[in-house]
Amino acid sequence: MYTVAVLISGSGSNLQALFDAQDAGDLGGAEVHVVVSDRSDAFGLQRALARGVAAACVPLPAAPSGPSRHAVRAAWEQRLAKVVAAFTPDLVVLAGFMRILSSGFLQHFPNRVINQHPALLPADGGDTVTTSTGLVIPALRGAHVVPDALRLGMSVTGCTIHRVTPRVDDGPILARTEVPILPDDDEVSLHERIKAHERRMIVQVVRDLAAGSSPKS
Ligand code: GRF
């Protein structure tokens, strides 16, 4: 059994793709055992509950600015890690989880956290990506990369799945797909097209990782 924890902040259509693949016997024996969100209104929690999969919300408390902000955030990461660790996951998937996780969280799941990012990221951690046609485009990082790609007038963007390190939107690449930007694209249409690729990629990556896993000690 290859146990998967999925962290979400929103709709959870990628989570649903994992559920669907699991039902179709297409997830290589991997099973989603828990879904955790920082937002109680994340629809992905309902998707989990509807299947009888454990679902939890660990909200990040509003904190005043200043030094105490760091302590509040560190304590939240520990609470989050405790909930996830209770399910002893082989893999933690950040599927639209809109919070940055530091080593305070990551150290509990060494080399076991992967992230979906709706833009192309480079393998070398640099500031540009070279596409399959030799075009050099900016590596877009952060929470607004779909509108950023439109604003910059790029002709191609994409999506990436990578292992998570303490550096934001960085880490070894597991899968990447280029997505052309069409002349009449807006943020919604472009993001939907990217997400269709993300759903296919996340299933493939989880299946491959499950297939290559060594038994839990
Ligand atoms: C995806 O585009 C993911 O890359 C981004 O948030 C989106 C999540 O979509 N970080 P959904 O909640 O799975 O529908």
Side-chain angles (χ1 to χ4, degrees):
M1 165 90 61
Y2 186 82
T3 306
V4 179
V6 181
L7 272 55
I8 57 158
S9 296
S11 136
S13 71
N14 284 278
L15 168 69
Q16 188 64 51
L18 291 172
F19 284 150
D20 293 346
Q22 200 178 303
D23 291 347
D26 203 19
L27 210 53
E31 280 185 17
V32 177
H33 279 198
V34 63
V35 176
V36 186
S37 179
D38 60 315
R39 297 180 57 124
S40 59
D41 61 352
F43 182 63
L45 291 174
Q46 303 304 323
R47 296 185 196 264
L49 290 171
R51 292 176 61 94
V53 168
C57 177
V58 184
L60 174 62
S65 49
S68 65
R69 199 165 155 260
H70 298 290
V72 167
R73 199 167 178 112
W76 169 74
E77 286 199 37
Q78 293 313 311
R79 282 199 302 283
L80 183 66
K82 212 169 173 177
V83 170
V84 175
F87 292 82
T88 57
D90 295 290
L91 184 70
V92 179
V93 179
L94 309 184
F97 187 67
M98 301 308 284
R99 302 282 183 187
I100 292 167
L101 294 171
S102 75
S103 52
F105 177 89
L106 298 174
Q107 68 186 354
H108 294 275
F109 312 99
N111 211 28
R112 287 182 178 197
V113 185
I114 66 172
N115 181 49
Q116 295 186 292
H117 184 69
L120 296 174
L121 292 172
D124 63 2
D127 291 332
T128 57
V129 183
T130 304
T131 68
S132 56
T133 59
L135 197 65
V136 178
I137 60 172
L140 304 177
R141 296 187 171 90
H144 308 287
V145 294
V146 178
D148 286 348
L150 289 166
R151 186 175 46 79
L152 292 170
M154 289 161 55
S155 59
V156 62
T157 181
C159 47
T160 305
I161 298 177
H162 63 97
R163 290 194 188 274
V164 178
T165 69
R167 285 179 52 140
V168 178
D169 294 335
D170 194 18
I173 307 289
L174 296 170
R176 209 163 52 174
T177 302
E178 294 175 9
V179 179
I181 300 178
L182 307 178
D184 56 352
D185 259 336
D186 58 17
E187 184 179 340
V188 173
S189 66
L190 178 57
H191 201 173
E192 256 326 302
R193 249 186 9 270
I194 292 171
K195 289 214 293 187
H197 289 285
E198 290 189 291
R199 292 192 279 266
R200 180 184 48 74
M201 272 183 11
I202 194 65
V203 167
Q204 191 185 322
V205 165
V206 171
R207 185 175 54 224
D208 289 353
L209 291 174
S213 71
S214 44
K216 240 187 283 188
S217 52

